[in-house]
Amino acid sequence: YWMFAFLGMTFLTSAWAAADTAKAFDSAVDFAKIVLFSWFMTKIIKTEKELTTLMYVMFAGMLYVSIMVQWGVEWNWVNVEEAEVATGGTGAHLMMFMPMLILLALFGKWRERLFVIIVIPFVLNYMPNAESGSRSTLVMFVTSMIFLFIFAPGSIRFKAALPMSAAAAIFVFYLTPAEYWEDMASILAPQTEGSARSRFAINDASFAIIADYPHGVGYNNYSDVSMHYMSEEFLTDLGTRDAHNSYLKVMAEFGIVGFVIWIAGFFISWLYFRKVRKTMISGQTPTRLQLYALSFELGFMGITAGIWTHSYNDLDTLYWFIAFSCIVYNLHLKQSRTVTPAPVEETPLKVKLQQQFKP
C-alpha cells in the first residue's frame, strides 16, 4: 500500500512539475511498471519453494553480470560503454543480495553451498572492475557486513567470522589492484577527489531546492532545476546535474509529504524482516525463512549508506525488497499458524465435579 501511495505522489507531482511536466509524467509511468512488477511478485509467490526458485534466478543473474563486466569486455562481447551503462546501479543490486549469498554458503544445503561459493568470488571481482558507483558499492558491502555482526545471533556471527575473514583477505590482497584502494581512500577523505568533493555542493543545492519547492519539483525534474542552484564547475557537459543523493532527490522531486511516504514504505518493510529475524535463537540452526529475513534485512541496512551518495531511488531492487518483506512475513504467519497447536478446551470445574460425584 505504501508503494501505491508513493506511486500516486509521482503522478500527482507531475501536475505541477517545475521544468517538464511530460518528462515527470513519463517517468511516473515507468515507475508504475516497477511497482506493478513488485506487486505481482507478492501475488505469485505463495510458498517458500517459489521464493527459493526466485533467489536462484537472482544468483544466476548476478553471476552473469559479474562475468560480463570483466570478461565480456575483454572478449569483445560487449564494449566498455555498454557495460558501464548496464552496470550503473548493478553494484547496489549485487550488494543487496550479497548477505544472502554469504548466509547460504554457511547454512544452505550442500548443492546451494557449492553454487553460491562459485558465485561469491565473481561478485567480489565485479567490484574493482566496474567504475560506476564503485565507492558506494564498497560502502554498501561493508555496512551490511557490520550489521551482520550486530543483528545476527551469536552462533551465526561465530560461524561467519572465519570464512568472511578469508574472503576479505582474498578480496583485498588478490582481487583488487592498488589503484582501486587509492580511489576508495576518497571515501574517508572526500575533499581529495573531485567527484566526491562535488557532493557537498550538490547537497547544498538540494537543500535550497527543497526550501523553495517544499511540494516537490516533479519526477526527474531535479537535473533541469538544479542548474539554477549550482555554479558551472559542478554541471555536466549538458549543463545539468543529478542529485547524487537518493534521500534528497526524493524530497526535492516529491516534496516533504512524498518523502515521508517513500521512507515509511521502507521502514515498515524493515519491521517485517525484523519480526521474522527476531524469531532466530542462538545455537539453533536457522530456518530457511529466518535466513531470508536476516539476509534481506542486511541488504536493506547496507544500502541505506550507499544511496546517500547516489541517486538510486529508481533502482528496481529497492522496491523488490518491499515486496519480499510482504512475502516473507506472510509465509512466516502461515507457518506459525501451521506449527502452533490448536488450544485445548478446558472442561469447566463444575462439570468435572459433577462427573466425579455422580449420584
Side-chain angles (χ1 to χ4, degrees), residues 28-41:
V29 171
D30 288 339
F31 180 70
K33 300 172 187 176
I34 298 176
V35 173
L36 286 174
F37 180 82
S38 302
W39 179 72
F40 281 138
M41 281 199 292

Side-chain angles (χ1 to χ4, degrees), residues 99-114:
M100 185 175 296
L101 290 176
I102 293 172
L103 289 175
L104 286 179
L106 297 173
F107 296 100
K109 298 174 183 177
W110 74 267
R111 288 189 181 90
E112 289 175 324
R113 292 186 182 188
L114 180 61

Side-chain angles (χ1 to χ4, degrees), residues 73-119:
V73 173
E74 291 180 3
W75 298 335
N76 293 319
W77 290 357
V78 295
N79 59 47
V80 177
E81 290 76 17
E82 289 176 345
E84 284 301 316
V85 170
T87 58
T90 304
H93 172 90
L94 296 178
M95 292 307 106
M96 290 185 77
F97 285 100
M98 190 65 169
M100 185 175 296
L101 290 176
I102 293 172
L103 289 175
L104 286 179
L106 297 173
F107 296 100
K109 298 174 183 177
W110 74 267
R111 288 189 181 90
E112 289 175 324
R113 292 186 182 188
L114 180 61
F115 180 48
V116 298
I117 287 171
I118 292 172
V119 174

Side-chain angles (χ1 to χ4, degrees), residues 332-349:
H332 167 68
L333 293 178
K334 182 180 177 181
Q335 291 181 3
S336 299
R337 286 194 294 267
T338 304
V339 172
T340 304
V344 180
E345 249 184 68
E346 250 335 289
T347 306
L349 180 60

Side-chain angles (χ1 to χ4, degrees), residues 5-175:
F6 181 67
L7 175 62
M9 286 298 299
T10 66
F11 281 103
L12 185 62
T13 54
S14 67
W16 59 71
D20 192 334
T21 301
K23 181 180 181 180
F25 182 81
D26 290 342
S27 299
V29 171
D30 288 339
F31 180 70
K33 300 172 187 176
I34 298 176
V35 173
L36 286 174
F37 180 82
S38 302
W39 179 72
F40 281 138
M41 281 199 292
T42 66
K43 298 301 178 183
I44 294 170
I45 301 173
K46 295 296 184 181
T47 66
E48 193 176 283
K49 184 179 179 180
E50 291 170 348
L51 181 57
T52 299
T53 302
L54 178 60
M55 292 304 104
Y56 289 157
V57 174
M58 295 291 181
F59 299 156
M62 294 167 68
L63 178 61
Y64 172 78
V65 74
S66 299
I67 291 173
M68 293 302 292
V69 78
Q70 178 175 351
W71 291 282
V73 173
E74 291 180 3
W75 298 335
N76 293 319
W77 290 357
V78 295
N79 59 47
V80 177
E81 290 76 17
E82 289 176 345
E84 284 301 316
V85 170
T87 58
T90 304
H93 172 90
L94 296 178
M95 292 307 106
M96 290 185 77
F97 285 100
M98 190 65 169
M100 185 175 296
L101 290 176
I102 293 172
L103 289 175
L104 286 179
L106 297 173
F107 296 100
K109 298 174 183 177
W110 74 267
R111 288 189 181 90
E112 289 175 324
R113 292 186 182 188
L114 180 61
F115 180 48
V116 298
I117 287 171
I118 292 172
V119 174
I120 288 173
F122 285 97
V123 175
L124 291 175
N125 186 65
Y126 166 93
M127 296 169 66
N129 282 285
E131 294 183 8
S132 179
S134 57
R135 285 187 293 260
S136 65
T137 301
L138 180 63
V139 169
M140 291 176 202
F141 178 55
V142 172
T143 304
S144 62
M145 293 302 99
I146 290 172
F147 276 102
L148 170 62
F149 284 92
I150 294 174
F151 287 163
S155 57
I156 293 181
R157 291 199 297 267
F158 179 78
K159 191 170 183 178
L162 183 58
M164 284 182 60
S165 299
I170 294 171
F171 177 69
V172 172
F173 297 108
Y174 179 72
L175 294 176

Side-chain angles (χ1 to χ4, degrees), residues 191-252:
Q191 297 291 356
T192 61
E193 197 269 337
S195 177
R197 187 169 59 250
S198 68
R199 300 297 198 271
F200 296 99
I202 298 171
N203 287 347
D204 290 341
S206 297
F207 284 118
I209 293 171
I210 293 166
D212 291 344
Y213 298 91
H215 52 285
V217 299
Y219 206 160
N220 276 336
N221 272 226
Y222 180 96
S223 57
D224 298 316
V225 174
S226 64
M227 66 176 73
H228 305 297
Y229 290 83
M230 280 183 270
S231 59
E232 290 187 8
E233 65 176 301
F234 297 114
L235 301 179
T236 65
D237 295 337
L238 299 175
T240 61
R241 190 72 184 198
D242 201 10
H244 288 284
N245 185 313
S246 299
Y247 303 104
L248 296 182
K249 185 175 184 180
V250 169
M251 193 178 295

Side-chain angles (χ1 to χ4, degrees), residues 273-351:
F273 291 139
R274 180 179 180 274
K275 285 181 179 179
V276 181
R277 186 257 300 171
K278 293 287 282 184
T279 62
M280 301 175 79
I281 300 174
S282 184
Q284 291 187 9
T285 302
T287 65
R288 175 54 57 96
L289 208 56
Q290 289 171 338
L291 280 180
Y292 284 160
L294 176 59
S295 302
F296 289 139
E297 184 182 18
L298 295 175
F300 246 165
M301 300 309 294
I303 203 170
T304 54
I307 61 176
W308 177 257
T309 58
H310 273 277
S311 300
Y312 286 151
N313 55 291
D314 285 336
L315 186 67
D316 298 45
T317 322
L318 282 173
Y319 306 98
W320 295 353
F321 269 53
I322 292 179
F324 292 154
S325 72
C326 299
I327 294 168
V328 168
Y329 190 62
N330 286 335
L331 287 174
H332 167 68
L333 293 178
K334 182 180 177 181
Q335 291 181 3
S336 299
R337 286 194 294 267
T338 304
V339 172
T340 304
V344 180
E345 249 184 68
E346 250 335 289
T347 306
L349 180 60
K350 183 178 179 181
V351 175

